[in-house]
Amino acid sequence: MAISDLNRFLSNFFEAHHCQVTSDGTKGTLTVKLTEEMDKALMNRPFYWHYIKKIGQIGEPKQLTFNTKPEQTQTSGEYIHFGSPRLQQIISHLKTNERFTRLYQYLPVSARTPLYPWLVTNIKLSYIGKQKKEQLFSIGLNLVNGVMKTEMMDELRTITLQPAISDFCYAISPMIKPGSGFRRILAVLEQFVHDQDHEWAQQSLKALEDEKQLLQAFYEGESEEARKQMDQEITEITQRYQPEINMEVVNGGIFYLAGNSTHPLK
């Protein structure tokens, strides 16, 4: 998950979970009043919440202050940074619980306005072999007319999205089922992979064969026990060099957007 602005990422995360957020970007501080749900997810207080429920009382979620700029010596709070346990905890929560979403474009309109469903999927292609490479694709499919777009997340960042539909707006029912739409997206990516130059795979196979021959020459004439060690090393080399391409869905969702053309976000 790529995060370019940590303060903004944290603000968006907690606001999306209905927490009260006060941010001072210049000092790098972020004060968050957690909801009960977020307290349970992040604060590891199961016995507290069990006890509160048992006695029929209303619990008090924690308030946290994060500091993303440790050079600001006058500020306090929990230092959070790329690689910190707290940030990894938040990212893990997103990956486990919120890989898929349903959001609506915010429109301040006074007349009935249709919103069209788009299936948006972010997929990572991993090329595994002697040299490793990853590519991230963000593909959107209009579930009404079948139009497909790449780099969809870049466009979604230009508009305001919310979990509830705006007043006077209504959602158009999809003509294409999400499952069928997802298969269309996968088919496009599979064709993309098929059309690529796969010299890298040939180079990996050659490197694998060269390494195996070196090992076999090194262990030639050795004992049976030594040849078992050779077999283990060949297995490890094969796991490293055997070329393959993995396709992983990172996240996605259904986004209801204004317009029904190839440029719905303008």
Side-chain angles (χ1 to χ4, degrees):
M1 176 181 290
I3 303 172
S4 57
D5 185 328
L6 187 53
N7 266 76
R8 183 177 179 183
F9 168 77
L10 292 171
S11 295
N12 290 342
F13 172 81
F14 286 111
E15 287 173 355
H17 290 83
H18 311 292
C19 300
Q20 298 176 18
V21 179
T22 303
S23 177
D24 186 340
T26 59
K27 293 184 178 181
T29 58
L30 192 81
T31 301
V32 180
K33 178 64 175 179
L34 298 175
T35 62
E36 179 178 334
E37 178 187 11
M38 279 293 96
D39 189 294
K40 290 179 178 178
L42 301 179
M43 300 311 299
N44 192 27
R45 301 197 296 165
F47 297 111
Y48 169 79
W49 288 108
H50 176 74
Y51 174 74
I52 287 296
K53 297 300 181 184
K54 187 175 182 179
I55 64 176
Q57 298 296 313
I58 298 176
E60 179 63 25
K62 291 282 189 178
Q63 177 171 294
L64 300 176
T65 297
F66 297 110
N67 176 16
T68 60
K69 293 183 178 180
E71 66 274 13
Q72 300 284 352
T73 56
Q74 299 303 314
T75 63
S76 60
E78 178 183 339
Y79 176 38
I80 188 169
H81 57 90
F82 298 104
S84 67
R86 179 71 75 187
L87 184 60
Q88 296 308 309
Q89 182 189 32
I90 291 172
I91 292 174
S92 177
H93 176 82
L94 285 170
K95 288 182 176 179
T96 303
N97 301 286
E98 301 175 33
R99 293 178 65 197
F100 306 99
T101 188
R102 181 188 301 268
L103 295 173
Y104 301 84
Q105 182 175 354
Y106 167 70
L107 290 174
V109 295
S110 57
R112 282 177 59 79
T113 303
L115 297 181
Y116 295 87
W118 285 75
L119 172 65
V120 178
T121 308
N122 298 313
I123 298 177
K124 181 174 68 175
L125 288 181
S126 298
Y127 299 80
I128 301 170
K130 182 181 180 182
Q131 302 294 331
K132 294 178 172 58
K133 183 178 74 169
E134 292 182 347
Q135 287 181 290
L136 184 63
F137 294 85
S138 180
I139 300 177
L141 175 70
N142 188 310
L143 294 178
V144 174
N145 61 19
V147 166
M148 194 176 293
K149 300 187 68 175
T150 59
E151 300 180 357
M152 194 69 178
M153 287 303 297
D154 289 341
E155 297 205 37
L156 290 178
R157 291 189 184 99
T158 67
I159 66 174
T160 301
L161 297 166
Q162 59 186 23
I165 194 167
S166 298
D167 292 340
F168 298 104
C169 292
Y170 62 95
I172 297 294
S173 297
M175 301 295 292
I176 304 169
K177 293 183 178 180
S180 176
F182 180 64
R183 287 191 289 274
R184 292 192 190 190
I185 291 174
L186 288 184
V188 168
L189 279 179
E190 288 170 356
Q191 186 61 48
F192 169 82
V193 170
H194 180 270
D195 294 340
Q196 298 305 297
D197 180 357
H198 294 295
E199 183 182 352
W200 66 274
Q202 298 300 323
Q203 292 176 349
S204 289
L205 288 173
K206 184 179 185 306
L208 173 58
E209 187 60 31
D210 290 344
E211 291 286 342
K212 288 169 63 176
Q213 290 180 5
L214 282 174
L215 279 174
Q216 290 166 350
F218 179 79
Y219 283 98
E220 185 175 2
E222 294 291 334
S223 66
E224 184 65 25
E225 189 65 28
R227 293 187 67 82
K228 288 182 181 179
Q229 175 65 28
M230 179 194 73
D231 291 340
Q232 177 63 33
E233 292 184 34
I234 287 178
T235 298
E236 293 173 355
I237 292 171
T238 301
Q239 291 173 346
R240 291 202 308 270
Y241 285 4
Q242 184 67 40
E244 61 178 297
I245 300 175
N246 291 335
M247 191 178 297
E248 176 190 357
V249 176
V250 178
N251 51 34
I254 304 293
F255 295 80
Y256 286 86
L257 308 173
N260 194 34
S261 67
T262 57
H263 302 286
L265 309 181
K266 302 301 182 182

